[in-house]
């Protein structure tokens, strides 16, 4: 194909790239798809510059780039298209079908509902209009004022020490969790904690028990780690495995939402909590207590039971909590509490797999907790949430009625 035709878009006024880059791209494209065949002699840089109204340096740059990449070769003082193109030529001519390039595990992940849209009654999303923007912004600003440049390289492994300390205090006061700050690991959302449990506490092919119905994101996390997911029925007292299941499918992980089963709202009874702890004896099983829903309770719901973790602090229990409900889901800040005897080994594995960050946000959050602003915010939200009907089975019924009568505009979240 004549070079004039190939380079007709060289002076396209709409093109964003510098001329030398454009020339290089046009020539490379023509060589790659065979319009300029192997052995074709390219004009001298002087000639091509004159023919196309270019500076000679522009052409030299393009030729040198093509030469460096192996698209052309120097030949008897001239430049010819290489007989075999560089490695790029070996690449498949068309983009491969993407699905085939994902792992079988990724292809099988069930779809989750989109989190981005803030529709009325979206489960798991607090009333963001009530978020205390000004005080949070102040905490962030103060944190920025304290932080030094070198601290921006990476977060402290396990999370900012002051936040680990505040979370340990917060949990012992509110949830009966028995832990020291070293047992608290700050993570990027409860989702990351579940991911760490799936990948670091179990091997692919191991069995994970999940509540059915349950939290889709937990299920996907386990599936993506190659675990064999078993859905365990839920009743009014929470996860209810029968005797046969313990025999047939002994679990490596048991993942449950203890204080507010998602989505039924059932509270795992004390009897069941003790039974799970008893069953852990003599087994290589971890219990993952996802306590995402303990923070807000309204007057009519039963009071929150203390965390399972606090009943037997030495048991193989990982306690997970999140700030997604207390503050806002996009913050991606949560924590996992690991048994004291697992801190060293599990801490090392977590550090070897993930990098820590959120240097400023973690400091800001520690301030928010220590100054009592979080408690204040929680008190305020507890009142609003009653009306939103997001928490508790009776509130859910009420919500349905309201939706059917089309009155949802009067609900706070609408
Ligand atoms: C059962 C359950 N666990 C955990 C979370 C919170 O996860 P994250 O901290 O990743 O936002 C949610 C959020 O909706 C949830 O429903």
């Amino acid at each position: 194909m004549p070079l004039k035709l190939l380079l007709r878009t060289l002076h396209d006024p709409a093109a964003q790239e510098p001329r030398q880059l454009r020339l290089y791209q046009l020539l490379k494209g023509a060589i790659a798809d065979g319009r300029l065949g192997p052995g074709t002699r390219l004009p001298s840089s002087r000639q091509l510059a004159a023919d196309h109204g270019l500076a000679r340096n522009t052409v030299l740059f393009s030729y040198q780039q093509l030469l460096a990449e192996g698209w052309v070769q120097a030949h008897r003082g001239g430049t010819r298209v290489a007989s075999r193109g560089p490695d790029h030529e070996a690449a498949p001519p068309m983009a491969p079908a993407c699905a085939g390039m994902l792992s079988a595990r990724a292809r099988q992940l069930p779809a989750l509902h989109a989190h981005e849209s803030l529709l009325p009654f979206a489960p798991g999303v607090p009333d963001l209009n009530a978020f205390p923007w000004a005080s949070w912004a102040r905490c962030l600003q103060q944190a920025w004022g304290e932080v030094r440049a070198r601290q921006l390289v990476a977060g402290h492994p396990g999370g900012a020490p002051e936040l680990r300390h505040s979370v340990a205090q917060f949990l012992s006061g509110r949830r009966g969790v028995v832990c020291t700050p070293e047992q608290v690991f700050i993570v990027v959302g409860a989702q990351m904690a579940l991911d760490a449990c799936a990948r670091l506490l179990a091997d692919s092919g191991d069995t994970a028990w999940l509540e059915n119905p349950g939290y889709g994101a937990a299920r996907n996390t386990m599936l993506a780690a190659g675990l064999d997911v078993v859905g365990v029925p839920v009743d009014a007292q929470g996860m209810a495995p029968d005797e046969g299941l313990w025999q047939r499918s002994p679990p490596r992980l048991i993942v449950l939402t203890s204080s507010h089963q998602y989505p039924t709202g059932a509270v795992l009874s004390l009897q069941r909590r003790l039974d799970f702890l008893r069953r852990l004896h003599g087994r290589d099983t971890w219990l993952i207590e996802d306590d995402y829903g303990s923070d807000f309770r309204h007057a009519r719901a039963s009071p929150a039971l203390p965390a399972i973790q606090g009943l037997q602090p030495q048991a193989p229990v990982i306690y997970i909590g999140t700030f997604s409900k207390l503050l806002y889901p996009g913050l991606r800040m949560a924590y996992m509490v690991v048994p004291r005897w697992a801190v060293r080994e599990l801490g090392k594995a977590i550090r070897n797999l993930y990098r820590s960050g959120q240097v400023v946000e973690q400091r800001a959050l520690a301030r928010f907790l220590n100054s009592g602003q979080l408690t204040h915010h929680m008190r305020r939200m507890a009142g609003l949430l009653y009306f939103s009907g997001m928490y508790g089975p009776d509130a859910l019924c009420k919500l349905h009625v309201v939706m059917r009568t089309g009155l949802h505009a009067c609900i706070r979240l609408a």
Side-chain angles (χ1 to χ4, degrees), residues 124 189-191 215 257 262 290 292 322 324-325 329 332 334:
Q191 188 67 25
Y215 181 43
T257 46
Y262 184 87
D290 178 1
Y292 80 104
T322 179
S324 284
K325 317 291 165 200
R332 310 307 304 138

Side-chain angles (χ1 to χ4, degrees), residues 198-254:
R199 297 211 268 166
L200 303 176
L201 303 179
D203 286 304
S204 132
D206 283 349
T207 297
W209 282 8
L210 264 66
E211 296 158 326
N212 182 22
Y215 181 43
R219 180 185 164 84
N220 281 3
T221 307
M222 302 296 139
L223 290 174
L227 304 193
D228 198 0
V229 170
V230 171
V232 182
V234 170
D235 63 18
Q237 294 184 60
M239 184 187 259
D242 61 30
E243 191 56 44
L245 194 62
W246 285 103
Q247 310 303 328
R248 278 195 314 279
S249 301
R252 173 67 174 178
L253 302 183
I254 301 172

